[in-house]
Coordinates of all heavy atoms in Angstrom, one line a residue:
G13 N 37.2 28.5 -2.9 CA 38.0 27.4 -3.3 C 37.2 26.6 -4.1 O 36.1 26.6 -4.4
P14 N 38.0 25.5 -4.8 CA 37.4 24.5 -5.6 C 36.4 23.6 -4.9 O 35.5 23.0 -5.4 CB 38.5 23.7 -6.2 CG 39.6 24.0 -5.4 CD 39.4 25.3 -4.7
T15 N 36.7 23.4 -3.6 CA 35.8 22.6 -2.7 C 35.1 23.6 -1.7 O 35.8 24.2 -0.9 CB 36.5 21.5 -2.0 OG1 37.2 20.7 -3.0 CG2 35.6 20.6 -1.2
A16 N 33.8 23.7 -1.8 CA 33.2 24.5 -0.8 C 33.2 24.3 0.7 O 33.2 23.0 0.9 CB 31.7 24.7 -1.3
L17 N 33.4 25.2 1.4 CA 33.6 25.0 2.9 C 32.2 24.7 3.4 O 31.2 25.3 3.0 CB 34.0 26.3 3.6 CG 34.4 26.3 5.0 CD1 35.6 25.3 5.3 CD2 34.7 27.7 5.5
P18 N 32.1 23.6 4.2 CA 30.8 23.2 4.7 C 30.2 24.3 5.6 O 30.9 25.0 6.2 CB 31.0 22.0 5.4 CG 32.5 21.9 5.7 CD 33.2 22.8 4.6
P19 N 28.8 24.4 5.6 CA 28.2 25.4 6.5 C 28.5 25.2 7.8 O 28.7 23.9 8.4 CB 26.7 25.3 6.2 CG 26.5 24.2 5.2 CD 27.9 23.7 4.8
R20 N 28.7 26.2 8.7 CA 28.9 26.1 10.1 C 28.1 27.3 10.8 O 28.3 28.3 10.4 CB 30.4 26.2 10.3 CG 30.8 26.1 11.8 CD 32.3 26.6 12.0 NE 32.5 26.9 13.4 CZ 32.2 28.1 13.9 NH1 31.7 29.0 13.2 NH2 32.5 28.4 15.1
S21 N 27.4 26.8 11.8 CA 26.5 27.8 12.5 C 27.1 27.8 13.9 O 27.1 26.8 14.7 CB 25.2 27.5 12.4 OG 24.5 28.3 13.3
A22 N 27.5 29.1 14.4 CA 27.9 29.2 15.8 C 26.7 28.8 16.8 O 26.9 28.5 17.9 CB 28.3 30.7 16.1
D23 N 25.5 29.0 16.2 CA 24.3 28.5 17.0 C 24.2 27.1 17.3 O 23.5 26.6 18.1 CB 23.0 29.1 16.3 CG 23.0 30.6 16.2 OD1 23.4 31.3 17.3 OD2 22.6 31.1 15.3
L24 N 24.9 26.3 16.5 CA 24.9 24.8 16.8 C 26.2 24.3 17.3 O 26.4 23.0 17.2 CB 24.6 24.2 15.4 CG 23.2 24.3 14.8 CD1 23.1 23.8 13.5 CD2 22.2 23.7 15.9
T25 N 27.1 25.2 17.6 CA 28.5 24.8 18.2 C 28.6 25.0 19.6 O 28.8 26.2 19.9 CB 29.6 25.4 17.4 OG1 29.3 25.2 16.0 CG2 30.9 24.8 17.7
P26 N 28.3 24.0 20.5 CA 28.4 24.3 21.9 C 29.6 25.1 22.4 O 29.6 25.8 23.3 CB 28.3 22.9 22.6 CG 27.6 22.1 21.6 CD 28.0 22.6 20.3
M27 N 30.8 24.8 21.8 CA 32.0 25.6 22.1 C 31.8 27.1 22.0 O 32.3 27.9 22.7 CB 33.2 25.1 21.3 CG 33.5 23.6 21.5 SD 34.1 23.2 23.2 CE 35.8 23.7 22.9
D28 N 31.0 27.4 20.8 CA 30.9 28.9 20.5 C 29.7 29.4 21.3 O 29.8 30.5 21.9 CB 30.5 29.0 19.1 CG 31.6 28.8 18.1 OD1 32.8 28.9 18.6 OD2 31.4 28.5 16.9
Y29 N 28.6 28.8 21.5 CA 27.4 29.4 22.2 C 27.5 29.3 23.7 O 26.7 29.9 24.4 CB 26.1 29.0 21.5 CG 25.6 27.6 22.0 CD1 25.1 27.3 23.2 CD2 25.7 26.6 21.0 CE1 24.6 26.0 23.5 CE2 25.2 25.3 21.3 CZ 24.6 25.0 22.6 OH 24.2 23.8 22.9
F30 N 28.4 28.4 24.2 CA 28.4 28.2 25.6 C 29.8 28.3 26.1 O 30.1 29.2 26.9 CB 27.8 26.9 26.0 CG 28.1 26.4 27.4 CD1 27.6 27.1 28.5 CD2 29.0 25.5 27.6 CE1 27.9 26.7 29.8 CE2 29.4 25.1 28.9 CZ 28.9 25.7 30.0
L31 N 30.7 27.4 25.8 CA 31.9 27.1 26.5 C 32.9 28.3 26.6 O 33.3 28.7 27.7 CB 32.6 25.9 26.0 CG 33.9 25.5 26.8 CD1 33.4 25.1 28.2 CD2 34.6 24.3 26.2
W32 N 33.2 28.9 25.5 CA 34.2 29.9 25.4 C 33.7 31.1 26.3 O 34.5 31.8 27.0 CB 34.6 30.3 24.1 CG 35.2 29.3 23.2 CD1 34.8 28.9 22.0 CD2 36.2 28.3 23.6 NE1 35.7 27.8 21.6 CE2 36.5 27.5 22.6 CE3 36.9 28.3 24.9 CZ2 37.4 26.5 22.7 CZ3 37.9 27.3 24.9 CH2 38.0 26.3 23.9
G33 N 32.5 31.5 26.2 CA 32.0 32.6 27.0 C 32.1 32.4 28.5 O 32.5 33.3 29.2
V34 N 31.7 31.2 28.9 CA 31.8 30.8 30.4 C 33.2 30.9 30.8 O 33.6 31.5 31.8 CB 31.2 29.5 30.6 CG1 31.5 29.0 31.9 CG2 29.6 29.6 30.4
V35 N 34.2 30.2 30.0 CA 35.5 30.1 30.4 C 36.1 31.5 30.5 O 36.9 31.9 31.4 CB 36.3 29.2 29.6 CG1 37.8 29.2 29.9 CG2 35.8 27.7 29.8
I36 N 35.9 32.3 29.4 CA 36.6 33.6 29.3 C 36.1 34.5 30.4 O 37.0 35.2 31.1 CB 36.3 34.3 27.9 CG1 37.2 33.5 26.9 CG2 36.6 35.7 28.0 CD1 36.8 33.9 25.4
S37 N 34.8 34.5 30.8 CA 34.3 35.3 31.8 C 34.9 35.0 33.1 O 35.3 35.8 33.9 CB 32.8 35.2 31.9 OG 32.2 35.7 30.8
D38 N 35.0 33.6 33.4 CA 35.6 33.2 34.6 C 37.2 33.5 34.7 O 37.6 34.0 35.7 CB 35.4 31.6 34.7 CG 35.8 31.1 36.0 OD1 35.6 31.8 37.0 OD2 36.1 29.8 36.1
V39 N 37.9 33.2 33.6 CA 39.3 33.4 33.6 C 39.7 34.9 33.8 O 40.6 35.3 34.5 CB 39.9 32.8 32.4 CG1 41.4 33.2 32.2 CG2 39.8 31.3 32.3
Y40 N 38.9 35.8 33.1 CA 39.3 37.2 33.0 C 38.5 37.9 34.2 O 38.5 39.3 34.1 CB 39.0 37.9 31.7 CG 40.1 37.4 30.8 CD1 39.8 36.5 29.8 CD2 41.4 38.0 30.7 CE1 40.8 36.0 28.9 CE2 42.3 37.5 29.9 CZ 42.0 36.6 28.9 OH 43.0 36.3 27.9
R41 N 37.9 37.3 35.1 CA 37.3 38.0 36.2 C 38.1 38.9 36.9 O 37.8 40.0 37.4 CB 36.6 37.0 37.1 CG 35.6 37.4 38.1 CD 35.0 36.3 38.8 NE 35.9 35.1 38.7 CZ 36.0 34.1 39.4 NH1 35.4 34.0 40.5 NH2 36.9 33.1 39.1
V42 N 39.4 38.5 37.1 CA 40.5 39.3 37.7 C 41.5 39.3 36.7 O 41.8 38.3 36.1 CB 40.9 38.6 39.0 CG1 42.1 39.4 39.6 CG2 39.8 38.5 40.0
P43 N 42.2 40.5 36.5 CA 43.3 40.6 35.6 C 44.4 39.6 35.7 O 44.7 39.3 37.0 CB 43.9 42.0 35.7 CG 42.7 42.7 36.3 CD 42.0 41.8 37.1
G44 N 44.9 39.0 34.7 CA 46.0 37.9 34.8 C 47.3 38.5 35.2 O 47.5 39.7 35.1
T45 N 48.1 37.7 35.8 CA 49.5 38.1 36.2 C 50.6 37.4 35.4 O 51.3 38.2 34.7 CB 49.8 37.8 37.7 OG1 49.6 36.4 37.8 CG2 48.8 38.6 38.6
T46 N 50.6 36.2 35.3 CA 51.6 35.6 34.4 C 51.0 34.5 33.5 O 49.8 34.2 33.8 CB 52.6 34.8 35.4 OG1 51.9 33.7 36.1 CG2 53.3 35.7 36.4
R47 N 51.8 34.0 32.6 CA 51.3 33.0 31.7 C 50.9 31.7 32.6 O 49.8 31.1 32.3 CB 52.4 32.6 30.8 CG 52.0 31.4 29.7 CD 53.1 31.0 28.9 NE 52.7 30.1 27.9 CZ 52.5 28.8 28.1 NH1 52.7 28.3 29.3 NH2 52.1 28.0 27.1

Side-chain angles (χ1 to χ4, degrees):
T15 304
L17 188 64
R20 179 191 160 279
S21 169
D23 295 318
L24 288 175
T25 308
M27 298 294 277
D28 288 335
Y29 74 76
F30 164 73
L31 187 64
W32 297 133
V34 169
V35 171
I36 287 170
S37 294
D38 192 28
V39 168
Y40 286 104
R41 194 173 16 152
V42 176
T45 54
T46 64
R47 180 184 186 281

